[in-house]
Amino acid sequence: KRPIFPKEEQQRGDYDIATIASSRQAVIHNCLFQADLKTPYVSHLTFDYDRVFDERAESSEVYKAAAARLVEGALDGRVGTMFMFGQTGSGKTHTMSAIQEAAARDLFAPADDIVPWLSVQVVELRGNRCFDLLAPGISDGRRHNLRPELQLRQQGDGSYAAEG
């Protein structure tokens, strides 16, 4: 959970709509109106997850709980995938950047004198579009640091690959 910033509370009047009830449960507080469209009330929706992190969680804690086993598996020759989802501004990029840095550190730490072979792909899925987050940013004249778009293609075995 990303902390609410003072600017959001003070200047825009935003309020925190999520409470982390436990390490496995989040509660969303949804402000609604009665049928008269004048009387507000709050509905509380509880969601259960494998793991939930509050706004005090350090990136290292998130990495250890969510990604470290994927990295260990990659070092043993297995394939791992991590998905991050959430609304714009919820902290996905910040968290994923820290996880990428820690994963790179752990992937290359055991490579003393051996030449490791490794393939890493980090993509952003936005609607029905796919972007390469490890490629250098490009410019279209109006916007800068745009990521190249990849094409998702279904393979013969039913899996998908991002090409481009």
Side-chain angles (χ1 to χ4, degrees):
K1 172 182 162 188
R2 176 178 76 69
I4 191 162
F5 298 122
K7 175 182 174 183
E8 294 168 325
E9 278 184 308
Q10 296 163 358
Q11 293 178 2
R12 297 193 326 217
D14 291 351
Y15 55 92
D16 196 348
I17 56 96
T19 299
I20 304 306
S22 73
S23 65
R24 298 178 63 98
Q25 194 172 71
V27 180
I28 303 300
H29 313 288
N30 191 13
C31 186
L32 302 168
F33 287 92
Q34 298 285 350
D36 65 7
L37 300 179
K38 295 178 185 176
T39 309
Y41 70 98
V42 177
S43 169
H44 306 282
L45 306 168
T46 302
F47 297 93
D48 295 316
Y49 297 95
D50 291 335
R51 184 71 167 89
V52 179
F53 301 93
D54 66 18
E55 63 273 10
R56 296 179 310 263
E58 296 289 329
S59 296
S60 59
E61 179 187 358
V62 176
Y63 173 75
K64 183 177 179 185
R69 285 180 294 170
L70 294 174
V71 171
E72 290 170 12
L75 289 169
D76 288 335
R78 294 190 299 274
V79 175
T81 301
M82 173 177 270
F83 283 100
M84 297 190 78
F85 58 92
Q87 72 182 49
T88 299
S90 63
K92 296 177 303 294
T93 301
H94 173 80
T95 302
M96 197 64 208
S97 296
I99 287 173
Q100 289 171 6
E101 184 178 317
R105 181 195 64 235
D106 288 353
L107 283 168
F108 294 106
D112 295 329
D113 291 335
I114 49 177
V115 179
W117 180 85
L118 177 68
S119 174
V120 176
Q121 189 170 35
V122 181
V123 298
E124 174 184 357
L125 300 174
R126 190 182 324 145
N128 62 352
R129 300 173 74 188
C130 180
F131 299 92
D132 185 346
L133 295 183
L134 295 181
I138 57 176
S139 173
D140 68 357
R142 293 178 293 130
R143 296 170 292 176
H144 302 287
N145 205 27
L146 298 172
R147 302 300 180 174
E149 186 167 358
L150 304 174
Q151 298 300 314
L152 291 176
R153 306 251 192 256
Q154 187 170 10
Q155 307 299 303
D157 64 359
S159 65
Y160 285 84
E163 300 173 352

